[in-house]
Amino acid sequence: MISFFDIARPSSPVPEGEMHGHGSGGPKDVWAHNVEATASLLIAFGTLITTCSAQGLFIPSPASRWILECLVPFQLPIFYFCLGFLYQRYRTTRTPRAWGQNLHRELALMGIPFVAFTVLVLLTNSIVGAKPPLSGADLFRALLIEPVIPVGYFYTCLIIYAITPTVKSRRNASGLLLAALAAKAAIVALVSLPATAGVAERLPYAVTSVAENWIWVAGGMAMALYRGLPLVRGSEKAWALGALWVATSVIAFYAGWTGETSHAVLDALGVLWAASLFSTVFRSGRQNRFYGFVTRYTMAIWLFHGICLALYFHLWKVAGISIAAAPWLAAAGAALACYGVPVLIMAALSRLGKAGIIVYPARYLPPAPATMLRKTPH
């Protein structure tokens, strides 16, 4: 008899906890897979709050606004940080050949879900009456100019891979960090200053997204090179760092400091907290039952939850049922659509030949060439 925790386990040399096939998935990487899974759950939770609020299921409270304005925003930087960490830990792209091989592989690993979910999001928008719909012009724009949520991450990562070879020394890492920090400071200044805010709005998505997120990838790469994790020894110190983030974010929230500068500081502190906590708690590499299950569906929950929620509430509308008549039932169903349905979809895709490739290409594609793999990870 197959238990719930054994659902959808496709046979593949790539560990199921690995999002993109960047690392070996060994015991030392458990913390990275687990923090990514947590970030995925929290991003979905943020969408659940936003969608249920828009449907009138509850009135936004200070707590829900704090979650959306402070807690959820640094979850995507966690993905970039872990990507940079695993990229530096397991790849070497210092030669033109290795750089080209890596970019070619990433075009498949990230390009497949990027294209697939761009189409699915636009199709869902067409069904529920949202914008942008699925049309030739909108598809062209979403694929090449301005990606739709949530797949802009893949678009940005491909550009960052193209401009960021792995580092070989602390001097290289310091130079990369300075360049990424300068880009982050520049975009924060452009957005924050009234005289340049209009210029920032007209910048291409590729420029703004890379400038905003390159620092997280560079930070993850530096941590891998410096062997800087765990940052603190003992979970108590990691939780103390978390308490500092909570206190800082609450003060910023109630003081109305919600600009680009304060968000950049909160995001940086939040990423350090998450990385410190998970690398400390899971330092032994031993996985627990909860994360052993959730990490198999990190990408599925992240990519499918918005689509499932939109279609779920559209079904209420089509059926002519008033959500206000059964708010608790509607909210419970929304939670199931947000978390349960993506798992079931991934379970089904994993049993339909190679259909699961649209979510986890690394589970179905050949392994990376040896020429771009680091033989002795840092």
Side-chain angles (χ1 to χ4, degrees):
M1 182 177 179
I2 299 177
S3 71
F4 182 62
F5 286 87
D6 291 324
I7 292 176
R9 187 175 294 174
S11 58
S12 168
V14 177
E16 292 178 321
E18 173 59 77
M19 282 178 59
H20 304 301
H22 296 146
S24 73
K28 290 185 179 180
D29 305 322
V30 165
W31 76 266
H33 304 325
N34 291 356
V35 76
E36 286 175 332
T38 304
S40 179
L41 295 175
L42 288 174
I43 288 172
F45 185 57
T47 306
L48 180 63
I49 291 175
T50 302
T51 306
C52 288
S53 176
Q55 294 293 329
L57 291 179
F58 70 90
I59 299 174
S61 65
S64 67
R65 292 198 301 270
W66 173 80
I67 289 172
L68 294 176
E69 292 184 21
C70 299
L71 181 62
V72 173
F74 80 83
Q75 304 310 312
L76 193 57
I78 285 174
F79 282 125
Y80 287 108
F81 181 88
C82 291
L83 179 140
F85 181 87
L86 295 174
Y87 175 52
Q88 177 64 32
R89 181 169 165 76
Y90 291 106
R91 299 285 177 86
T92 175
T93 58
R94 300 295 302 178
T95 65
R97 181 186 180 191
W99 175 86
Q101 288 176 328
N102 181 68
L103 196 57
H104 182 266
R105 180 170 173 78
E106 293 302 333
L107 282 171
L109 293 178
M110 296 194 169
I112 291 173
F114 173 66
V115 173
F117 280 88
T118 295
V119 173
L120 287 174
V121 168
L122 296 182
L123 178 60
T124 300
N125 288 348
S126 295
I127 293 172
V128 305
K131 293 183 179 180
L134 181 59
S135 67
D138 288 309
L139 180 60
F140 176 84
R141 180 175 180 80
L143 290 176
L144 298 178
I145 302 173
E146 188 171 0
V148 294
I149 297 174
V151 294
Y153 166 80
F154 301 115
Y155 184 95
T156 303
C157 286
L158 285 171
I159 299 174
I160 290 176
Y161 272 128
I163 64 174
T164 313
T166 51
V167 293
K168 63 179 181 178
S169 67
R170 296 197 170 200
R171 183 178 180 180
N172 288 153
S174 298
L176 176 62
L177 279 172
L178 286 174
L181 183 60
K184 181 71 172 181
I187 195 64
V188 167
L190 280 174
V191 173
S192 302
L193 297 175
T196 57
V199 176
E201 291 179 358
R202 293 191 294 272
L203 288 174
Y205 177 91
V207 174
T208 58
S209 185
V210 170
E212 288 174 352
N213 296 298
W214 194 20
I215 185 64
W216 315 123
V217 176
M221 293 173 66
M223 281 295 179
L225 181 74
Y226 297 159
R227 303 182 187 181
L229 292 175
L231 288 174
V232 295
R233 303 293 177 178
S235 58
E236 295 84 2
K237 293 180 180 179
W239 280 113
L241 182 60
L244 175 63
W245 178 86
V246 171
T248 305
S249 66
V250 169
I251 292 171
F253 174 75
Y254 279 102
W257 300 335
T258 56
E260 290 294 319
T261 302
S262 60
H263 268 302
V265 173
L266 286 176
D267 290 351
L269 186 58
V271 170
L272 288 176
W273 167 36
S276 299
L277 178 63
F278 278 80
S279 62
T280 300
V281 173
F282 295 97
R283 186 179 180 185
S284 67
R286 185 176 299 173
Q287 185 61 287
N288 63 35
R289 188 174 176 84
F290 172 76
Y291 279 110
F293 172 71
V294 175
T295 51
R296 300 178 203 165
Y297 302 99
T298 298
M299 286 281 285
I301 292 171
W302 177 29
L303 293 175
F304 276 117
H305 79 272
I307 294 173
C308 293
L309 279 172
L311 293 175
Y312 168 74
F313 283 110
H314 182 67
L315 288 175
W316 279 76
K317 182 179 179 181
V318 170
I321 303 173
S322 173
I323 292 175
W328 289 107
L329 178 61
L336 180 61
C338 186
Y339 294 109
V341 175
V343 170
L344 294 176
I345 292 174
M346 191 64 226
L349 291 176
S350 298
R351 286 166 170 75
L352 294 175
K354 294 186 177 181
I357 197 172
I358 68 169
V359 182
Y360 289 104
R363 295 182 182 179
Y364 303 89
L365 297 177
T371 51
M372 53 178 272
L373 295 178
R374 192 179 299 276
K375 294 181 180 179
T376 306
H378 292 286

